[in-house]
Coordinates of all heavy atoms in Angstrom, one line a residue:
Q1 N 99.3 58.5 111.5 CA 99.1 59.7 110.8 C 98.3 60.7 111.5 O 98.7 61.8 111.7 CB 98.4 59.4 109.4 CG 98.1 60.6 108.6 CD 99.3 61.3 108.0 OE1 100.4 60.7 107.8 NE2 99.2 62.6 107.8
Y2 N 97.1 60.2 112.0 CA 96.3 61.2 112.7 C 96.9 61.6 114.1 O 96.7 62.7 114.5 CB 94.9 60.6 113.0 CG 94.1 60.4 111.7 CD1 93.8 59.1 111.2 CD2 93.7 61.5 111.0 CE1 93.1 59.0 110.0 CE2 93.0 61.4 109.8 CZ 92.7 60.1 109.3 OH 92.0 60.0 108.1
R3 N 97.6 60.7 114.7 CA 98.2 61.0 116.0 C 99.2 62.2 115.8 O 99.3 63.1 116.6 CB 98.9 59.8 116.6 CG 98.0 58.8 117.2 CD 98.7 57.7 117.8 NE 97.7 56.7 118.3 CZ 98.1 55.5 118.8 NH1 99.3 55.2 118.9 NH2 97.1 54.7 119.2
G4 N 100.0 62.1 114.7 CA 100.9 63.1 114.4 C 100.2 64.5 114.2 O 100.7 65.5 114.6
D5 N 99.1 64.4 113.4 CA 98.4 65.7 113.2 C 97.8 66.2 114.5 O 97.9 67.4 114.7 CB 97.2 65.4 112.2 CG 97.7 65.1 110.8 OD1 98.9 65.4 110.5 OD2 96.9 64.5 110.0
V6 N 97.3 65.4 115.3 CA 96.7 65.8 116.6 C 97.8 66.4 117.5 O 97.7 67.4 118.1 CB 96.0 64.6 117.3 CG1 95.6 65.0 118.7 CG2 94.7 64.2 116.5
G7 N 99.0 65.7 117.5 CA 100.1 66.3 118.2 C 100.5 67.6 117.7 O 100.8 68.5 118.5
N8 N 100.6 67.8 116.4 CA 100.9 69.1 115.9 C 99.9 70.2 116.2 O 100.3 71.3 116.6 CB 101.1 69.0 114.3 CG 102.3 68.3 113.9 OD1 103.3 68.2 114.7 ND2 102.3 67.8 112.7
D9 N 98.6 69.8 116.2 CA 97.6 70.7 116.6 C 97.7 71.1 118.0 O 97.5 72.3 118.4 CB 96.2 70.1 116.3 CG 95.9 70.0 114.8 OD1 96.6 70.6 114.0 OD2 95.0 69.2 114.5
I10 N 98.0 70.2 118.9 CA 98.1 70.5 120.3 C 99.3 71.4 120.6 O 99.2 72.4 121.3 CB 98.3 69.2 121.1 CG1 96.9 68.4 121.1 CG2 98.7 69.4 122.6 CD1 97.0 67.0 121.8
N11 N 100.4 71.1 119.9 CA 101.6 72.0 120.0 C 101.2 73.4 119.5 O 101.6 74.4 120.2 CB 102.8 71.5 119.2 CG 103.4 70.3 119.9 OD1 103.2 70.1 121.1 ND2 104.1 69.5 119.1
H12 N 100.5 73.5 118.4 CA 100.1 74.8 117.9 C 99.2 75.6 118.9 O 99.4 76.8 119.1 CB 99.4 74.6 116.5 CG 99.1 75.9 115.9 ND1 100.1 76.8 115.4 CD2 97.9 76.5 115.6 CE1 99.5 77.8 114.8 NE2 98.2 77.7 114.9
L13 N 98.3 74.8 119.5 CA 97.4 75.4 120.4 C 98.1 75.9 121.7 O 97.8 76.9 122.3 CB 96.2 74.5 120.8 CG 95.2 74.2 119.7 CD1 94.3 73.1 120.1 CD2 94.4 75.5 119.4
N14 N 99.1 75.1 122.1 CA 99.9 75.5 123.3 C 100.7 76.8 123.0 O 100.8 77.7 123.8 CB 100.9 74.4 123.7 CG 100.1 73.3 124.4 OD1 99.1 73.4 125.0 ND2 100.7 72.1 124.3
E15 N 101.2 76.9 121.7 CA 101.9 78.1 121.4 C 101.0 79.3 121.4 O 101.3 80.4 121.9 CB 102.5 78.0 120.0 CG 103.7 77.0 119.9 CD 104.2 76.8 118.4 OE1 103.9 77.7 117.6 OE2 104.8 75.8 118.2
I16 N 99.8 79.1 120.8 CA 98.8 80.2 120.8 C 98.4 80.6 122.3 O 98.3 81.8 122.6 CB 97.6 79.8 120.0 CG1 97.9 79.7 118.5 CG2 96.4 80.8 120.2 CD1 96.8 79.1 117.7
Q17 N 98.3 79.6 123.1 CA 97.9 79.9 124.5 C 99.0 80.7 125.2 O 98.7 81.7 125.9 CB 97.7 78.6 125.3 CG 97.3 78.8 126.7 CD 97.0 77.5 127.4 OE1 97.7 76.5 127.1 NE2 96.2 77.5 128.4
G18 N 100.3 80.4 124.9 CA 101.4 81.2 125.4 C 101.4 82.6 124.9 O 101.6 83.5 125.7
M19 N 101.1 82.8 123.6 CA 101.1 84.1 123.1 C 99.9 84.9 123.7 O 100.1 86.1 124.0 CB 100.9 84.1 121.6 CG 102.2 83.6 120.9 SD 102.1 83.7 119.1 CE 100.7 82.6 118.6
L20 N 98.8 84.3 123.9 CA 97.6 85.0 124.5 C 97.9 85.4 126.0 O 97.6 86.5 126.4 CB 96.4 84.1 124.5 CG 95.8 83.9 123.1 CD1 94.6 82.9 123.1 CD2 95.3 85.2 122.5
K21 N 98.6 84.5 126.7 CA 99.0 84.8 128.1 C 99.9 86.0 128.1 O 99.8 86.9 128.9 CB 99.6 83.6 128.8 CG 98.6 82.6 129.2 CD 99.2 81.4 130.0 CE 98.1 80.4 130.3 NZ 98.7 79.3 131.1
S22 N 100.9 86.0 127.2 CA 101.8 87.1 127.1 C 101.1 88.4 126.7 O 101.4 89.5 127.3 CB 102.9 86.8 126.0 OG 103.8 87.9 125.9
F23 N 100.2 88.4 125.8 CA 99.4 89.5 125.4 C 98.6 90.0 126.6 O 98.5 91.2 126.8 CB 98.5 89.2 124.2 CG 97.7 90.3 123.7 CD1 98.3 91.4 123.1 CD2 96.3 90.3 123.8 CE1 97.6 92.4 122.6 CE2 95.6 91.3 123.3 CZ 96.2 92.4 122.7
Q24 N 98.0 89.1 127.3 CA 97.2 89.4 128.5 C 98.0 90.2 129.5 O 97.6 91.2 130.1 CB 96.6 88.2 129.1 CG 95.6 88.5 130.3 CD 95.1 87.2 130.8 OE1 95.7 86.1 130.8 NE2 93.8 87.2 131.3
N25 N 99.2 89.7 129.8 CA 100.1 90.3 130.7 C 100.5 91.7 130.2 O 100.6 92.7 131.0 CB 101.4 89.5 130.9 CG 101.1 88.3 131.7 OD1 100.2 88.2 132.5 ND2 102.0 87.3 131.6
S26 N 100.7 91.9 128.9 CA 101.1 93.2 128.4 C 99.9 94.2 128.6 O 100.1 95.3 129.0 CB 101.3 93.1 126.9 OG 102.6 92.6 126.6
L27 N 98.7 93.7 128.4 CA 97.5 94.5 128.6 C 97.4 94.9 130.0 O 97.0 96.1 130.3 CB 96.2 93.8 128.1 CG 96.1 93.7 126.6 CD1 94.8 92.9 126.2 CD2 96.0 95.0 125.9
R28 N 97.6 94.0 130.9 CA 97.6 94.3 132.4 C 98.6 95.5 132.7 O 98.2 96.4 133.5 CB 97.8 93.1 133.2 CG 96.7 92.2 133.3 CD 96.9 91.0 134.3 NE 95.8 90.1 134.3 CZ 95.9 88.8 134.3 NH1 97.0 88.2 134.4 NH2 94.8 88.1 134.3
V29 N 99.8 95.4 132.2 CA 100.8 96.4 132.4 C 100.3 97.7 131.9 O 100.4 98.8 132.6 CB 102.1 96.0 131.8 CG1 103.1 97.2 131.9 CG2 102.7 94.8 132.6
K30 N 99.8 97.7 130.7 CA 99.3 99.0 130.1 C 98.1 99.6 130.8 O 98.1 100.8 131.0 CB 98.9 98.8 128.6 CG 100.1 98.5 127.7 CD 99.7 98.4 126.3 CE 100.8 98.0 125.4 NZ 101.9 99.0 125.3
M31 N 97.2 98.7 131.3 CA 96.1 99.2 132.1 C 96.6 99.8 133.4 O 96.1 100.9 133.8 CB 95.1 98.1 132.3 CG 94.2 97.7 131.2 SD 93.1 96.4 131.5 CE 92.2 97.0 132.9
S32 N 97.5 99.2 134.0 CA 98.1 99.7 135.2 C 98.7 101.1 135.0 O 98.5 102.0 135.8 CB 99.1 98.7 135.8 OG 99.7 99.2 137.0
D33 N 99.5 101.2 133.9 CA 100.1 102.4 133.6 C 99.1 103.5 133.4 O 99.2 104.7 133.8 CB 101.0 102.3 132.3 CG 102.2 101.5 132.5 OD1 102.6 101.3 133.7 OD2 102.9 101.1 131.5
L34 N 98.0 103.2 132.7 CA 96.9 104.2 132.4 C 96.2 104.6 133.7 O 95.9 105.7 134.0 CB 95.9 103.6 131.4 CG 96.4 103.5 130.0 CD1 95.3 102.8 129.2 CD2 96.6 104.9 129.4
E35 N 96.0 103.6 134.6 CA 95.3 103.9 135.8 C 96.1 104.7 136.8 O 95.6 105.5 137.5 CB 94.9 102.6 136.5 CG 93.7 101.8 135.8 CD 93.5 100.4 136.3 OE1 94.3 99.9 137.1 OE2 92.5 99.8 135.9
D36 N 97.4 104.5 136.7 CA 98.3 105.3 137.6 C 98.8 106.6 137.0 O 99.6 107.3 137.6 CB 99.6 104.4 137.9 CG 99.2 103.1 138.7 OD1 98.1 103.1 139.3 OD2 100.0 102.2 138.7
A37 N 98.3 106.9 135.8 CA 98.8 108.1 135.1 C 98.4 109.4 135.8 O 97.4 109.5 136.4 CB 98.2 108.1 133.6
D38 N 99.4 110.3 135.8 CA 99.1 111.6 136.3 C 98.4 112.4 135.2 O 98.9 112.6 134.1 CB 100.5 112.3 136.6 CG 100.3 113.7 137.1 OD1 99.2 114.1 137.4 OD2 101.3 114.4 137.1
M39 N 97.1 112.8 135.5 CA 96.3 113.4 134.5 C 96.9 114.7 133.9 O 96.8 114.9 132.7 CB 94.9 113.6 135.1 CG 94.0 112.4 135.1 SD 94.0 111.6 133.6 CE 92.4 112.1 133.0
A40 N 97.4 115.5 134.8 CA 98.0 116.7 134.3 C 99.2 116.5 133.3 O 99.3 117.1 132.3 CB 98.5 117.6 135.5
Q41 N 100.0 115.5 133.7 CA 101.1 115.1 132.8 C 100.6 114.5 131.5 O 101.1 114.8 130.4 CB 102.0 114.1 133.5 CG 103.3 113.8 132.7 CD 104.2 114.9 132.4 OE1 104.4 115.7 133.4 NE2 104.7 115.1 131.2
A42 N 99.6 113.7 131.6 CA 99.0 113.1 130.4 C 98.4 114.1 129.4 O 98.6 114.0 128.2 CB 97.9 112.0 130.8
I43 N 97.7 115.1 130.0 CA 97.1 116.2 129.2 C 98.3 117.0 128.5 O 98.2 117.3 127.4 CB 96.2 117.1 130.0 CG1 95.0 116.3 130.4 CG2 95.8 118.3 129.3 CD1 94.1 116.9 131.4
S44 N 99.3 117.3 129.3 CA 100.4 118.0 128.8 C 101.1 117.3 127.6 O 101.4 117.8 126.6 CB 101.4 118.3 129.9 OG 102.6 118.9 129.4
D45 N 101.3 116.0 127.8 CA 101.9 115.1 126.8 C 101.1 115.1 125.5 O 101.6 115.2 124.4 CB 102.2 113.7 127.3 CG 103.2 113.6 128.4 OD1 104.0 114.6 128.5 OD2 103.3 112.6 129.0
L46 N 99.8 115.0 125.7 CA 98.8 115.0 124.6 C 98.9 116.3 123.8 O 98.9 116.3 122.6 CB 97.4 114.7 125.1 CG 96.3 114.7 124.0 CD1 96.6 113.6 122.9 CD2 95.0 114.5 124.6
S47 N 98.9 117.4 124.5 CA 99.0 118.7 123.9 C 100.3 118.8 123.1 O 100.3 119.3 121.9 CB 99.0 119.8 124.9 OG 97.7 119.8 125.6
K48 N 101.4 118.3 123.6 CA 102.7 118.4 122.9 C 102.6 117.5 121.6 O 103.1 117.9 120.5 CB 103.8 117.9 123.7 CG 104.2 118.8 124.9 CD 105.3 118.2 125.7 CE 105.5 119.1 127.0 NZ 106.5 118.4 127.9
E49 N 102.0 116.4 121.7 CA 101.8 115.5 120.6 C 100.9 116.2 119.5 O 101.2 116.0 118.3 CB 101.2 114.2 121.0 CG 102.2 113.3 121.8 CD 103.4 112.9 121.1 OE1 103.4 112.6 119.9 OE2 104.4 112.8 121.8
E50 N 99.9 116.8 119.9 CA 99.0 117.5 119.0 C 99.7 118.6 118.2 O 99.5 118.8 117.0 CB 97.8 118.1 119.7 CG 96.8 117.0 120.1 CD 95.6 117.6 120.9 OE1 95.7 118.7 121.5 OE2 94.6 116.9 121.0
V51 N 100.5 119.4 119.0 CA 101.3 120.5 118.3 C 102.3 119.9 117.3 O 102.4 120.4 116.2 CB 102.1 121.3 119.4 CG1 103.1 122.2 118.8 CG2 101.1 122.1 120.2
G52 N 102.9 118.8 117.7 CA 103.8 118.1 116.7 C 103.1 117.6 115.5 O 103.6 117.7 114.4
L53 N 101.9 117.0 115.7 CA 101.1 116.5 114.6 C 100.7 117.7 113.7 O 100.9 117.6 112.4 CB 99.9 115.8 115.1 CG 98.9 115.4 114.0 CD1 99.6 114.4 113.1 CD2 97.7 114.7 114.7
Q54 N 100.3 118.8 114.2 CA 99.9 119.9 113.4 C 101.0 120.5 112.6 O 100.9 120.8 111.4 CB 99.3 121.1 114.3 CG 97.9 120.8 114.8 CD 96.9 120.7 113.7 OE1 97.0 121.3 112.7 NE2 95.9 119.8 114.0
A55 N 102.2 120.6 113.2 CA 103.4 121.1 112.5 C 103.8 120.1 111.4 O 104.1 120.6 110.3 CB 104.6 121.2 113.5
T56 N 103.7 118.8 111.6 CA 104.0 117.9 110.6 C 103.0 118.0 109.4 O 103.4 117.9 108.2 CB 103.9 116.4 111.1 OG1 104.9 116.4 112.2 CG2 104.3 115.4 110.1
L57 N 101.7 118.1 109.7 CA 100.7 118.2 108.7 C 100.9 119.5 107.9 O 100.7 119.5 106.6 CB 99.3 118.2 109.3 CG 98.9 116.9 109.9 CD1 97.5 117.0 110.6 CD2 98.8 115.8 108.8
Q58 N 101.2 120.6 108.5 CA 101.5 121.9 107.8 C 102.7 121.8 106.9 O 102.7 122.2 105.8 CB 101.6 123.0 108.8 CG 100.3 123.4 109.5 CD 100.5 124.4 110.6 OE1 101.6 124.8 110.9 NE2 99.4 124.9 111.2
A59 N 103.7 121.2 107.4 CA 104.9 121.0 106.6 C 104.6 120.1 105.4 O 105.1 120.4 104.3 CB 106.1 120.4 107.4
G60 N 103.9 119.1 105.6 CA 103.5 118.2 104.5 C 102.7 118.9 103.5 O 102.9 118.7 102.2
S61 N 101.8 119.8 103.9 CA 100.9 120.5 103.0 C 101.8 121.5 102.2 O 101.6 121.6 101.0 CB 99.9 121.3 103.8 OG 99.2 122.2 103.0
R62 N 102.8 122.1 102.8 CA 103.7 123.1 102.1 C 104.5 122.3 101.0 O 104.7 122.8 99.9 CB 104.6 123.8 103.1 CG 103.9 124.8 103.9 CD 104.8 125.6 104.7 NE 104.1 126.3 105.8 CZ 104.4 126.1 107.1 NH1 105.4 125.4 107.5 NH2 103.6 126.8 108.0
I63 N 105.0 121.2 101.4 CA 105.8 120.4 100.5 C 104.9 119.9 99.3 O 105.4 120.0 98.1 CB 106.4 119.2 101.2 CG1 107.5 119.6 102.2 CG2 107.0 118.2 100.2 CD1 108.0 118.6 103.1
Q64 N 103.7 119.6 99.6 CA 102.8 119.1 98.5 C 102.5 120.3 97.5 O 102.6 120.1 96.3 CB 101.5 118.6 99.1 CG 101.0 117.4 98.5 CD 99.8 116.9 99.3 OE1 99.2 117.5 100.1 NE2 99.4 115.7 99.0
R65 N 102.2 121.5 98.1 CA 102.0 122.6 97.2 C 103.2 123.0 96.4 O 103.1 123.3 95.2 CB 101.5 123.8 98.1 CG 100.0 123.8 98.4 CD 99.6 125.0 99.1 NE 99.8 124.8 100.5 CZ 100.1 125.7 101.4 NH1 100.3 126.9 101.0 NH2 100.3 125.4 102.6
F66 N 104.4 123.0 97.0 CA 105.6 123.3 96.3 C 105.8 122.3 95.2 O 106.2 122.7 94.1 CB 106.8 123.3 97.3 CG 108.1 123.6 96.7 CD1 108.3 124.9 96.3 CD2 109.1 122.7 96.5 CE1 109.5 125.3 95.7 CE2 110.3 123.0 96.0 CZ 110.5 124.3 95.6
S67 N 105.6 121.0 95.5 CA 105.9 120.0 94.5 C 104.9 120.2 93.3 O 105.2 120.0 92.1 CB 105.7 118.6 95.1 OG 106.7 118.4 96.0
L68 N 103.6 120.5 93.6 CA 102.6 120.7 92.6 C 103.0 121.9 91.7 O 102.8 121.8 90.5 CB 101.2 120.8 93.2 CG 100.1 121.0 92.3 CD1 99.9 119.8 91.3 CD2 98.8 121.2 93.0
M69 N 103.4 123.0 92.3 CA 103.8 124.2 91.6 C 105.0 123.9 90.7 O 105.0 124.4 89.6 CB 104.1 125.3 92.5 CG 102.8 125.8 93.3 SD 103.2 127.1 94.5 CE 103.1 128.5 93.5
N70 N 105.9 123.1 91.1 CA 107.1 122.7 90.3 C 106.6 121.9 89.1 O 107.1 122.1 88.0 CB 108.1 121.9 91.1 CG 108.9 122.8 92.0 OD1 108.9 124.0 91.9 ND2 109.6 122.2 92.9
Y71 N 105.6 121.0 89.3 CA 105.1 120.2 88.3 C 104.4 121.0 87.2 O 104.5 120.8 86.0 CB 104.2 119.1 88.9 CG 103.6 118.2 87.9 CD1 104.4 117.2 87.3 CD2 102.3 118.3 87.5 CE1 103.9 116.3 86.4 CE2 101.8 117.4 86.5 CZ 102.6 116.4 86.0 OH 102.1 115.5 85.1
I72 N 103.6 122.0 87.7 CA 102.8 122.8 86.8 C 103.6 123.8 86.1 O 103.5 124.0 84.9 CB 101.6 123.5 87.6 CG1 100.6 122.5 88.1 CG2 100.9 124.6 86.7 CD1 99.6 123.1 89.0
G73 N 104.5 124.5 86.9 CA 105.3 125.6 86.4 C 106.5 125.1 85.6 O 107.0 125.6 84.6

């Protein structure tokens, strides 16, 4: 009984170890991408994302006001 439980625990730990190694490799790739990033391009991309976010927030605000006015009116 205990040997089976220990075997299951070992298998589970091996699975977790594999997932952690995979995660570590993903982080290494992301770090490499960040370190190799062209700063001018990164700033430009960030600015575009900010503009998109602002537009989305403004549209959401307009929709919210319109919906509230329909509810009240």
Side-chain angles (χ1 to χ4, degrees):
Q1 175 69 27
Y2 292 112
R3 286 183 184 172
D5 291 342
V6 170
N8 287 337
D9 290 344
I10 289 172
N11 287 337
H12 186 68
L13 290 173
N14 285 335
E15 288 176 23
I16 291 172
Q17 184 180 26
M19 289 188 298
L20 289 173
K21 284 182 180 179
S22 176
F23 183 66
Q24 184 180 34
N25 289 336
S26 287
L27 288 177
R28 283 187 181 141
V29 169
K30 290 184 187 293
M31 283 179 58
S32 176
D33 289 347
L34 289 173
E35 290 168 351
D36 296 340
D38 175 16
M39 283 306 259
Q41 184 65 43
I43 291 169
S44 174
D45 291 347
L46 178 61
S47 294
K48 289 177 188 175
E49 293 294 327
E50 287 177 339
V51 168
L53 175 61
Q54 287 296 331
T56 302
L57 292 173
Q58 288 174 356
S61 174
R62 287 187 198 123
I63 290 169
Q64 224 174 9
R65 276 186 270 146
F66 182 70
S67 297
L68 181 61
M69 292 175 89
N70 284 345
Y71 181 74
I72 292 172

